[in-house]
Amino acid sequence: QQQVKQSPQSLIVQKGGISIINCAYENTAFDYFPWYQQFPGKGPALLIAIRPDVSEKKEGRFTISFNKSAKQFSLHIMDSQPGDSATYFCAASRARSRDDKIIFGKGTRLHILP
Amino acid sequence: KAGVTQTPRYLIKTRGQQVTLSCSPISGHRSVSWYQQTPGQGLQFLFEYFSETQRNKGNFPGRFSGRQFSNSRSEMNVSTLELGDSALYLCASSRVPTSGGPQAYEQYFGPGTRLTVT
């Protein structure tokens, strides 16, 4: 119930294309869904986050789509650039809960072809 | 504004030894969380400290411990090292505890300490 399943494990996209990474969760109590971006040798950096009261959130070329009934959310990277090549992690948590921890997906290694 | 710093960046230890890792949060941040990152298990939560108190703990054995000082700097210790402890250990800081509140989980990660156990 505490898992967050992320797919695909790796993804290769042509420059200018759309990169799509999917995550699914089981615990309906989760109410905060962030995405992190990690470059080699660096720690993860918060990219964008969504709460289940909205179905979509967009920040620049990055969009989160959220489907509460299906318990799924996804990250879309429009006009993908070589600089977007990184590992992306989805995560889920109960933001209002003191006792719960953030649960991360296993990560997607994204490579954008120049 | 300086980011989260972790020392050392790389460490090689042998089985049975113990190790202490250090994390300095962003100035003004009082919450520090520790994570273990491995290729097989991904990012796993170890524990969180806020105002020198452990607020939350992940599912790791008692060999993993931590503490936080009055200046918010934190250390984690792993005793009796095992080969499986080889990992990237990440520290993340936030202004408020990462569970609860409107800014929950706006964490800023450090670059990590790469621990290799031989």
Side-chain angles (χ1 to χ4, degrees):
Chain A
Q1 261 235 326
Q2 286 291 84
Q3 279 191 330
V4 175
K5 294 182 180 177
Q6 184 172 347
S7 62
Q9 270 190 308
S10 61
L11 182 61
I12 299 174
V13 175
Q14 290 281 352
K15 178 183 175 182
I18 302 174
S19 303
I20 301 175
I21 304 170
N22 301 298
C23 283
Y25 63 98
E26 297 167 351
N27 188 344
T28 56
F30 287 144
D31 60 3
Y32 181 77
F33 303 90
W35 284 89
Y36 288 84
Q37 179 189 56
Q38 185 177 27
F39 293 106
K42 305 282 188 182
L46 179 62
L47 193 60
I48 185 172
I50 197 169
R51 296 190 188 275
D53 51 348
V54 297
S55 60
E56 186 175 281
K57 182 173 180 180
K58 185 176 180 180
E59 288 186 4
R61 296 184 293 109
F62 300 90
T63 300
I64 299 179
S65 297
F66 186 82
N67 186 330
K68 190 173 181 178
S69 60
K71 292 186 285 184
Q72 294 175 347
F73 59 110
S74 59
L75 175 69
H76 295 233
I77 305 174
M78 313 300 286
D79 187 26
S80 299
Q81 299 297 312
D84 297 330
S85 296
T87 300
Y88 292 81
F89 295 92
C90 63
S93 70
R94 290 200 292 172
R96 283 183 293 277
S97 167
R98 177 197 167 100
D99 298 321
D100 275 5
K101 314 95 169 168
I102 187 167
I103 308 295
F104 286 88
K106 291 287 178 75
T108 295
R109 188 169 292 185
L110 174 65
H111 182 64
I112 307 300
L113 296 173
Chain B
K1 195 175 190 181
V4 177
T5 58
Q6 291 187 246
T7 57
R9 292 293 311 276
Y10 303 91
L11 207 48
I12 299 175
K13 291 284 188 178
T14 55
R15 277 179 297 175
Q17 287 186 313
Q18 75 165 17
V19 67
T20 299
L21 312 181
S22 180
C23 170
S24 292
I26 291 171
S27 177
H29 285 198
R30 295 169 63 194
S31 172
V32 173
S33 298
W34 288 89
Y35 296 85
Q36 182 194 64
Q37 185 175 26
T38 58
Q41 298 299 317
L43 271 161
Q44 293 186 287
F45 174 80
L46 280 155
F47 27 66
E48 177 190 8
Y49 286 87
F50 179 74
S51 293
E52 301 177 67
T53 301
Q54 187 180 86
R55 281 177 53 91
N56 217 336
K57 191 176 189 305
N59 297 323
F60 278 81
R63 300 185 296 107
F64 292 81
S65 63
R67 59 178 175 167
Q68 187 180 35
F69 302 95
S70 57
N71 61 359
S72 296
R73 190 178 69 86
S74 177
E75 287 181 349
M76 68 162 280
N77 184 276
V78 188
S79 63
T80 319
L81 284 166
E82 300 176 0
L83 294 178
D85 297 333
S86 294
L88 180 67
Y89 289 88
L90 291 158
C91 158
S93 78
S94 61
R95 280 196 286 128
V96 296
T98 53
S99 40
Q103 291 164 309
Y105 294 111
E106 286 189 6
Q107 297 183 75
Y108 297 85
F109 282 84
T113 294
R114 173 75 61 185
L115 172 65
T116 301
V117 182
T118 62

